């Protein structure tokens, strides 16, 4: 949610900043801007409404020289998306320019105080208040930028990642964070001179260096052209920068011949999941090795219950995780929307295990939920994709998905990565607790091992649906139905369609349909039913009958070889047979493809759907 890029070094900053903005565009794309200081120490700011290309177009006629700069791509919180509200924001004297990700909660009172001191404002943003407040600190304390930022942030309530330029000191870049991520890339050029890169995540940095420092909450960093990287916290205590090595490659950030990241990520799933389970499933000894569980087995064996906190798609995978952990490890599991959990004074015991599931590892509500759980003494476990992310660092232990960077705003491979990771976790706990019969445990290990191949089969057998999807562009509503493990899949299928095609869709437990949604069914209503030949097959067949007799259009997901549901359906997706608990990993694939192709047929921007952002770092 909003992306920040920065650079200081010997190279021209503008191309680095623009490329970085393109990489971060998935975080927000309603407006973008850049600030540069040129050799004459002029500070220029250029901003445009819309995507980063609009900014590029504007800048093609401007002087964009300079070897220090900051840039921003925005997802609006305060003030509508337009050029004035876009970042960077100038201070009153236009000596300072600042970009910001997050929300300054007390901006109104700060603004009132500034107005009393003669400051005037161009925008409605909390960010302009922040840059003016920094200038106010400079004016009143006659201090350097670094100190002014430190003083200013002490007065700020809220979350922020900021980067700031001062034209009176064109050799320094200052940044800070609290609650929103910021990473500093550290490198030396061929002449041995230092360069620093800033990014909201590693994607704008990896092209230049894999050595990074993750800024921690309430830390302020100053970088200069001599190679100085000083970090202090708000209490002015010097911190030692810890250099980490990124595990990411550039080609993971490219579309690799696919028209969209979403389609690439859908097709990447078999390989992504192979990487996710590599080293964790031992097929020879029929074992599951999750170091996060092994190192903390007492916590899991003795816990009273598990609470999983998540948002969006991650909440859906958490629900599947609940069903499996309860079945395999016999531990009660509650699944919570992090945004609700954090504000409703939940009962949390010190012997609870709280698991945060988050692709980005930065979702503000999920982070706040685990901070609350920590304050009550619970053991925290993180299931994240982004390495070094805030949630990964705030938890006591955890497991990374290792499915590679996910760029498409609609989550696909992270969902299946989360489901399989929660499956591994359930098995690992079950092994420690001895809750599964050996034969069943071994059979599940064997089956899990085959899932990536079965995903490939599913992709190969359902890929030609572009034409079929076109038939649904006229639809205003969809219903998705599933039971048991496939109820969360119905929720996820409906969410995917809503997110990228803007067609209203509802996911429902199939039998609950009778208590309301069936009233919506008529000959215009497509009903997607997940009906594998497993578990509650016969019950789902009855549910399909109920829809058919009301003339609804049936789109089903069936097991290969099924004829009964196939005959009842207007269209059928096939998946290979697998155990009930692993069906979601296969059944979700045709639903991802369906939403993708319906959105394409409607001419939507699938990678950057309106109003959404990949990483929601504000509440
Ligand atoms: C946003 C994204 C979703 C994601 C959700 C939770 O809404 O658009 O794709 O599921 O945030 O994000 P997380 O990174 O915590 O999984």
């Amino acid at each position: 949610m909003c992306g920040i890029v920065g650079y200081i070094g010997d190279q021209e900053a503008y191309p680095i900043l623009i490329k970085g903005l393109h990489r971060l565009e998935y975080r927000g794309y309603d407006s973008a801007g850049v600030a540069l200081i040129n050799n004459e120490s002029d500070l220029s700011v250029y901003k445009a409404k819309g995507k980063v290309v609009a900014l590029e177009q504007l800048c093609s006629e401007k002087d964009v020289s300079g070897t220090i700069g900051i840039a921003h791509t925005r997802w609006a919180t305060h003030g509508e998306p337009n050029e004035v509200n876009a970042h960077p924001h100038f201070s009153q004297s236009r000596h300072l320019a600042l970009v910001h990700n997050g929300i300054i909660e007390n901006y109104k009172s700060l603004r009132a105080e500034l107005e009393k001191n003669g400051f005037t404002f161009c925008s409605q943003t909390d960010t302009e208040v922040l840059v003016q407040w920094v200038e106010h600190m400079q004016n009143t304390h006659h201090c350097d930028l670094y100190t002014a930022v430190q003083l200013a942030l002490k007065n700020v309530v809220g979350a922020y990642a900021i980067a700031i330029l001062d034209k009176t000191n064109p050799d320094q870049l200052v940044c800070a964070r609290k609650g929103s991520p910021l990473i500093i890339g550290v490198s030396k050029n061929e002449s041995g001179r230092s360069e620093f890169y800033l990014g909201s995540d590693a994607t704008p940095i990896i092209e230049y260096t894999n050595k990074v420092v993750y800024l921690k909450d309430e830390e302020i960093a100053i970088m200069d052209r001599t190679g100085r990287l000083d970090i202090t916290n708000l209490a002015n205590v010097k911190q030692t920068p810890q250099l980490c090595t990124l595990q990411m490659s550039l080609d993971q950030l490219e579309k690799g011949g696919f028209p969209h990241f979403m389609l690439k990520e859908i097709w990447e799933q078999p390989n992504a999941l192979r990487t996710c389970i590599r080293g964790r499933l031992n097929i020879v000894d029929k074992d599951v090795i999750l170091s996060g569980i092994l190192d903390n087995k007492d916590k899991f064996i003795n816990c009273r219950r598990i609470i999983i906190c998540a948002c969006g798609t991650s909440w859906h995978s958490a629900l599947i995780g609940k069903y499996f952990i309860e079945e395999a490890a016999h531990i009660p599991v509650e699944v919570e929307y992090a945004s609700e959990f954090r504000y409703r004074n939940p009962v949390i015991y010190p012997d609870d295990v709280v698991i945060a599931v988050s692709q980005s590892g930065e979702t503000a509500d999920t982070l706040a939920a685990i901070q609350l759980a920590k304050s009550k003494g619970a053991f925290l476990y993180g299931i994240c994709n982004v390495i070094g992310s805030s949630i990964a660092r705030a938890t006591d232990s955890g497991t990374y998905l290792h499915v590679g960077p996910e760029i498409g705003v609609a989550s696909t491979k992270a969902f299946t990565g989360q489901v399989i990771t929660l499956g591994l976790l359930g098995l690992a706990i079950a092994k420690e607790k001895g809750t599964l019969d050996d034969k069943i445990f071994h059979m599940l290990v064997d089956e899990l091992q085959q899932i990536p191949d079965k995903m490939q089969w599913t992709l190969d057998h359902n890929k030609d649906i572009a034409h079929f999807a076109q038939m649904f562009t006229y639809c205003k509503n969809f219903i998705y139905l599933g039971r048991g493990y496939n109820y969360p899949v119905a929720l996820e299928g409906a969410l995917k369609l809503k997110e990228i095609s803007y067609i209203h869709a509802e996911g429902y437990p199939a039998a609950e349909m009778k208590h309301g949604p069936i009233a919506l069914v008529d000959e215009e209503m497509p009903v997607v039913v997940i009906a594998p030949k497993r578990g509650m097959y016969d019950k789902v067949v009855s549910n399909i009958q109920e829809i058919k007799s009301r003339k609804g259009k049936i789109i089903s997901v069936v097991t290969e070889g099924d004829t009964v549901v196939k005959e009842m359906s207007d269209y059928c997706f096939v998946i290979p047979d697998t155990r009930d608990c692993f069906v979601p990993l296969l059944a979700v694939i045709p639903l991802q493809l369906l939403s993708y192709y319906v959105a394409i047929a409607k001419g939507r921007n699938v990678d950057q759907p309106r109003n959404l952002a990949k990483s929601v770092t504000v509440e």
Side-chain angles (χ1 to χ4, degrees), residues 75-111:
W75 188 91
T77 55
H78 291 71
E80 66 172 273
N82 60 25
E83 200 187 307
V84 176
N85 288 332
H87 303 207
H89 285 278
F90 270 128
S91 63
Q92 182 103 332
S93 68
R94 297 173 86 86
H95 282 166
L96 305 179
L98 179 143
V99 290
H100 167 222
N101 175 14
I103 292 183
I104 307 302
E105 287 168 18
N106 60 335
Y107 80 103
K108 282 194 180 143
S109 58
L110 295 178
R111 184 171 169 145

Side-chain angles (χ1 to χ4, degrees), residues 163-222:
I164 183 162
L165 293 183
D166 181 351
K167 72 184 245 180
T168 62
N169 196 345
D171 296 322
Q172 283 187 350
L173 181 57
V174 174
C175 65
R177 76 157 270 181
K178 183 184 174 192
S180 289
L182 209 51
I183 302 177
I184 301 169
V186 181
S187 116
K188 279 200 182 344
N189 65 17
E190 283 161 4
S191 344
R193 286 174 49 84
S194 291
E195 303 182 295
F196 295 104
Y197 300 83
L198 263 192
S200 295
D201 64 30
T203 57
I205 297 175
I206 188 67
E207 202 153 343
Y208 311 102
T209 176
N210 63 356
K211 298 284 176 250
V212 296
V213 174
Y214 291 94
L215 212 58
K216 300 195 186 90
D217 271 351
E218 303 205 336
E219 285 186 347
I220 307 165
I222 184 167

Side-chain angles (χ1 to χ4, degrees), residues 71 124 183 235 265 299 448 469 487 505 510 527 611:
Q124 300 143 353
I183 302 177
E265 288 157 6
K299 295 279 180 202
L448 208 47
Y487 159 51
V527 182
N611 304 340

Side-chain angles (χ1 to χ4, degrees), residues 1 26 309-315 357-364 366 383 386 391 406 408-412 414 418 492 495-496 499 609 612-616:
M1 191 151 278
Y26 72 90
C309 294
C311 301
T313 287
S314 300
W315 190 90
V357 179
S358 172
Q359 187 286 130
S360 63
E362 301 293 348
T363 302
T366 312
I383 296 184
V386 177
I391 293 172
E406 190 178 66
V409 165
S411 185
T412 51
Q418 289 163 348
E492 177 59 9
L495 179 64
K496 286 290 87 85
E499 281 180 310
L612 298 178
K614 181 87 188 144
S615 179
V616 182

Side-chain angles (χ1 to χ4, degrees), residues 299 303 347-354 369-380 396:
K299 295 279 180 202
C303 72
V347 177
I348 307 167
Y349 301 105
D351 54 353
D352 282 336
V353 170
V354 175
I370 58 167
Q371 280 158 351
L372 173 69
K374 192 184 188 110
S375 71
K376 310 265 179 177
F379 180 74
L380 306 183
D396 297 309

Side-chain angles (χ1 to χ4, degrees), residues 451-468:
I451 288 293
D453 290 345
K454 291 190 176 181
M455 286 180 129
Q456 189 62 54
W457 189 101
T458 307
L459 283 162
D460 292 338
H461 286 76
N462 295 288
K463 61 179 192 283
D464 299 318
I465 63 158
H467 180 66
F468 157 72

